[in-house]
Structure formats: structure tokens, C-alpha cells
Amino acid sequence: MINSNLNPEIERRPLNEIRDFQEHKLHEHLEHLAATSRFYRKLFEKHHIDPGKIRKISDLVNIPITTKNDLQERNNDFICVSRSEIIDYITTSGTAGDPVTFAMTDKDLDRLAYNEAISFTCADGSPNDIYQLMTTIDRRFMAGMAYFLGVRMMGAGIVRVGNGIPELQWDTIRRINPTTIIAVPSFILKVIEYAESHGIDYRKSSITKAVCIGEPLRNEDFTLNTLGRRILEKWPLKLYSTYASTEMGTSFTECGQGLGGHHHPELIITEFLDDNDQPVNEGEPGEVTITTLGIEGMPLLRFKTGDVCYHYSEPCKCGRSTIRLGPVLGRKNQMIKFKGTTLYPPALYDILDNIDFIKNYVVEVFTNDIGTDEILIHAGSSKPIEDREKDIKDHFRAKLRVAPMITFDTIENIHKIIMPESSRKPVKFIDNRGKQDL
Ligand SMILES: [Zn+2]
């Protein structure tokens, strides 16, 4: 049985009622910021903004946006509570190395639990489910802890295996019989690979669903991307994509229809903005810009996330009428204007992932001598594949209408670029635009 408190009625109301509901919450949020946030008090003063006069969501355009740079440079001015009220400290990477600290109060942790509980419920979860957590719960991250708290609030079961170690993942599946995994999709492929090489009949396991985090599963038209298809070809799970970030403290999770992540009106106001911080129309890609609701420790107002996506306002077949966010097309600062087409690196990755003789790759973008963006793919393969260049370019033309330049190298050499010693994360995109002497 599904807990009706975790299926909020407001998500099924017409959009104008949702807007009225959010405007009431926005008013409370602005009062809270004006009373407690050093950063926003200064911002209101500097721009002569009377927060009491911001009544409507459409009035928000009168307030300057907040950037990741602001969070980094003025971190402490964003914290609205005293040290004694903070329970959990979380960090998230900043733009230039130094991380940003997020402070969570007791109530913020309850809010986070509620967010995940309604998100998992949206993704066809119930108290009868047992979740296997395949992501880390510590290391100052928010996500793993949020999932644990959310599953607990739902009254479902959870087993915290953490990331990596396919052997331990399979041992746990065999012992506990969980129904749902929470994992990064590319890790699910590793889990399948391990099962295949160790004679585990994974298709007959207890797992029927996967909540997929961190990487997109779908193309712009909601069909599965290469990663999503690779998983399903092997293991017929029901896949649910979820999009979230520490700054938002809120998730956009798909329902069973798989048509974008549902917005939770109690928790966040979402705008989609262009380069001039003006709202885009439905059908145009916009940068996700959020105003958190109900957060005590580190509330945000018009924070521009850097993620670009489409949004949809048609009511969903699941009965929810909240807007839905399409797959993240890419990071705003990674947008490439190539031969008159706007591209983001994930669209290039998806094509490269689909070419079996390319084992690894790096996408480089630079400014050519006429001052426009040029793309150079560094592709790794175990055998000489120069004669396949035309095939590869045809793949690109078929999907994107344009073809980048390609250079070939050994898998080892490409690996050295992907995994430099100075970086914790793999580097698949190198942006040399505006730099001289390439
Ligand atoms: Zn839905």
C-alpha cells in the first residue's frame, strides 16, 4: 500500500493552482531571507529591492540571479542559522577547485527525507520495496544520505552497500533479495559484466527496478540513450532517471511513464532562463534556475545551476500535473556552437559510446582561425582504424547533421588524458576555446 501523504495532492492540481500555492510559499521564503541571510539582505539593498513587493513568480525576474561563484566567494554569508542549529555539513565542488559547504538543520534533514520519499514513491516505490544503495553515503556527499532518509520515511527497506565492489553487490542481492537498485547507470553495466563472467543468472534475480542517478538515461525525445539501451538489452529492468543537486536539495524523478523528472511544488520553484536571465518558452532549452522552499540552513533564491534542459507542462498520464524536466542536455558553459548547430558534449558521447571499435575517447573543443568553435575527437582503439573515419563521420552526420574532426591514438594514450594524476574524475571534455598555441 502506498502512503497517501507521500503522494501530495498539490501535484495533481491544475498548474494555476500550483502557481498560487508556490507564490504563497515564495512570500514566506523572501521574508526568511530578508530576516536571516546576509548575502540576500545585501543583494536586496544593493539593487533597491523590497522583497515584500515580490508577490508573483513572474516578479522574480526583477531579482538578480545567484551563481556558483557567489556561493564560493561568500559561502558563510549564505548560511542563515547559528552553528548550534547545524546538524550535517555537506560539501559540493565549486567552479574553481575550492568546495562550497552546505549546512543542514534538523528540519532540513526532514525536508530532504520527504523529498526522496515522494520521489521514490513517484518512481513506483512502496513500503514493500527493498532498495540496494550502490552509491556512497559518506565523503561529505548529500545524495546517499538523502536516499537512506527517504527510504526510511517511506517505510521501505534499504541495504547500504555503497559504490563499487560488484562481488559484494551480488552477494547482497542473493542474501537480501532487494527489489530496486539505486545506482549510476554506467555502474549497472559493470554489475551485469561481473554477473556474466561469474555465471550469475542476473535476469532471474530479485531486482526489477533501477533508480538511475548522475548520468542521463534518455535522449531529448525521451527514447533511451546508448547507456540506457545497453542496460535494457541485457537486463530488462524498469529504469527511472532522477536529476538533483546539493544546491537544490530537491530531486526531479521520473514516474513510470519515463517522460521527464516531476517537479515537487512544495519544495522548489523552477525557472528556465536564457543567457540574459529571461524565461524561455516551452520548447526552448533553458538553464535550470531554482529557488528552494522550506530550507532553513542555506536557502537559495534564483540559483542558476548551469544545467540546460527542456521543460514540459502537459499533464502526465500518471495523474500528476506538475511540470517535467527533460534530460539534461549539458552544462551551459560546455555549449558548443559548431557549424551553425548548438551541441552539448553528452550528445557526442552518446554517438561515440555506440561505435564498438572506439574503446575510449576525449572530446576537445577549441577556437579555430576564423574565431568559431571546432571539435576534435581523440579516439582510442586497439587496431588501426583510420579507414573507418568516414563511417564514424557518417554516424555523426546522421544524428547531429554535422561531423567533427577525428584523430586516432592507442587506448593507453587516451587513458592517460582521461585520467590525469591531478583529477579525481575522468576527463572526457577538454575546453581549449579562447586559448592560444594549441
Ligand atoms: Zn508522471
Side-chain angles (χ1 to χ4, degrees):
M1 201 191 75
I2 290 173
N3 181 344
S4 60
N5 295 333
L6 299 180
N7 250 315
E9 175 59 20
I10 187 67
E11 301 190 354
R12 289 156 198 276
R13 306 305 304 165
L15 278 179
N16 62 335
E17 279 182 42
I18 291 176
R19 193 195 53 225
D20 292 349
F21 170 86
Q22 288 214 298
E23 287 177 347
H24 180 72
K25 293 248 175 197
L26 173 64
H27 181 66
E28 287 170 9
H29 180 64
L30 290 166
E31 276 186 344
H32 175 54
L33 290 179
T36 60
S37 169
R38 286 188 298 277
F39 179 86
Y40 288 110
R41 240 187 350 237
K42 270 188 203 152
L43 182 104
F44 295 151
E45 263 169 39
K46 188 175 165 205
H47 295 274
H48 310 291
I49 293 163
D50 176 357
K53 289 209 172 119
I54 306 284
R55 311 299 303 194
K56 304 210 165 291
I57 288 172
S58 53
D59 295 336
L60 282 173
V61 288
N62 299 311
I63 303 175
I65 54 126
T66 301
T67 65
K68 194 129 189 170
N69 229 10
D70 294 327
L71 294 185
Q72 206 159 7
E73 283 170 10
R74 310 264 307 275
N75 200 166
N76 285 335
D77 287 351
F78 280 94
I79 299 176
C80 295
V81 293
S82 65
R83 269 179 88 84
S84 64
E85 290 170 89
I86 300 170
I87 306 280
D88 196 60
Y89 293 86
I90 289 164
T91 65
T92 179
S93 53
T95 43
D98 225 20
V100 175
T101 303
F102 270 77
M104 309 275 293
T105 66
D106 196 45
K107 211 174 131 219
D108 291 342
L109 290 170
D110 287 343
R111 180 191 168 285
L112 197 61
Y114 178 71
N115 164 62
E116 291 303 341
I118 61 177
S119 296
F120 285 134
T121 303
C122 182
D124 298 332
S126 82
N128 300 325
D129 280 307
I130 300 173
Y131 290 83
Q132 179 155 329
L133 184 63
M134 297 189 173
T135 70
T136 176
I137 201 164
D138 53 5
R139 305 260 169 130
R140 314 196 303 208
F141 285 125
M142 177 186 273
M145 177 185 65
Y147 300 136
F148 176 79
L149 294 173
V151 170
R152 181 186 179 206
M153 186 178 274
M154 267 173 92
I158 187 163
V159 52
R160 293 167 290 113
V161 184
N163 63 344
I165 330 180
E167 185 180 357
L168 187 61
Q169 305 291 356
W170 280 112
D171 179 72
T172 310
I173 293 170
R174 189 171 55 80
R175 284 170 195 280
I176 313 285
N177 290 317
T179 58
T180 312
I181 56 178
I182 304 170
V184 176
S186 50
F187 182 64
I188 300 178
L189 287 175
K190 294 220 166 74
V191 169
I192 294 172
E193 221 170 84
Y194 182 91
E196 284 182 333
S197 61
H198 289 78
I200 297 168
D201 192 355
Y202 55 94
R203 287 160 175 267
K204 291 218 173 92
S205 76
S206 56
I207 305 292
T208 58
K209 294 181 286 189
V211 176
C212 294
I213 62 174
E215 295 165 336
L217 269 186
R218 299 184 196 280
N219 301 310
E220 276 173 46
D221 62 0
F222 295 117
T223 55
L224 288 172
N225 63 15
T226 304
L227 195 53
R229 276 204 320 273
R230 285 236 172 110
I231 295 171
L232 276 205
E233 275 163 14
K234 297 271 186 186
W235 200 3
L237 299 175
K238 180 92 184 156
L239 304 177
Y240 303 84
S241 192
T242 178
Y243 162 64
S245 72
T246 303
E247 292 88 349
M248 304 195 287
T250 309
S251 314
F252 295 84
T253 305
E254 287 179 351
C255 67
Q257 302 290 326
L259 295 172
H262 275 286
H263 171 226
H264 298 304
E266 299 162 277
L267 303 177
I268 198 162
I269 292 171
T270 316
E271 300 171 87
F272 303 89
L273 303 182
D274 65 15
D275 292 343
N276 302 315
D277 301 335
Q278 297 300 309
V280 299
N281 294 318
E282 191 168 342
E284 292 168 0
E287 190 172 342
V288 180
T289 303
I290 56 99
T291 295
T292 56
L293 297 172
I295 288 183
E296 288 181 333
M298 212 158 134
L300 297 177
L301 175 61
R302 304 200 83 212
F303 174 73
K304 238 180 163 184
T305 61
D307 295 325
V308 177
C309 71
Y310 289 98
H311 67 283
Y312 302 86
S313 64
E314 269 288 289
C316 184
K317 287 200 186 87
C318 72
R320 292 176 183 82
S321 39
T322 51
I323 56 157
R324 288 163 287 121
L325 270 64
V328 172
L329 305 177
R331 299 286 302 168
K332 180 80 199 176
N333 59 5
Q334 294 185 343
M335 184 175 85
I336 307 165
K337 293 268 191 191
F338 183 56
K339 296 181 182 169
T341 298
T342 299
L343 296 174
Y344 291 91
L348 302 167
Y349 304 158
D350 193 60
I351 293 170
L352 291 160
D353 287 339
N354 234 338
I355 302 173
D356 54 3
F357 50 84
I358 294 180
K359 298 302 173 195
N360 56 4
Y361 56 83
V362 173
V363 172
E364 181 190 349
V365 54
F366 60 93
T367 308
N368 60 23
D369 49 16
I370 55 165
T372 61
D373 290 353
E374 197 71 58
I375 304 169
L376 175 61
I377 311 267
H378 301 260
S381 178
S382 52
K383 42 185 188 269
I385 47 174
E386 270 75 3
D387 57 334
R388 308 297 293 270
E389 189 170 331
K390 188 180 169 300
D391 281 0
I392 299 171
K393 288 197 168 184
D394 284 346
H395 274 295
F396 278 97
R397 286 196 193 94
K399 288 260 182 173
L400 303 174
R401 298 188 306 272
V402 288
M405 297 191 289
I406 299 161
T407 169
F408 299 97
D409 207 333
T410 61
I411 296 170
E412 294 73 37
N413 284 345
I414 299 292
H415 185 78
K416 278 183 205 147
I417 312 177
I418 296 174
M419 286 295 186
E421 279 175 23
S422 58
S423 178
R424 279 188 308 125
K425 287 184 185 167
V427 175
K428 280 161 86 176
F429 181 68
I430 299 176
D431 196 341
N432 284 325
R433 287 176 287 191
K435 291 182 192 164
Q436 303 296 320
D437 305 314
L438 292 170

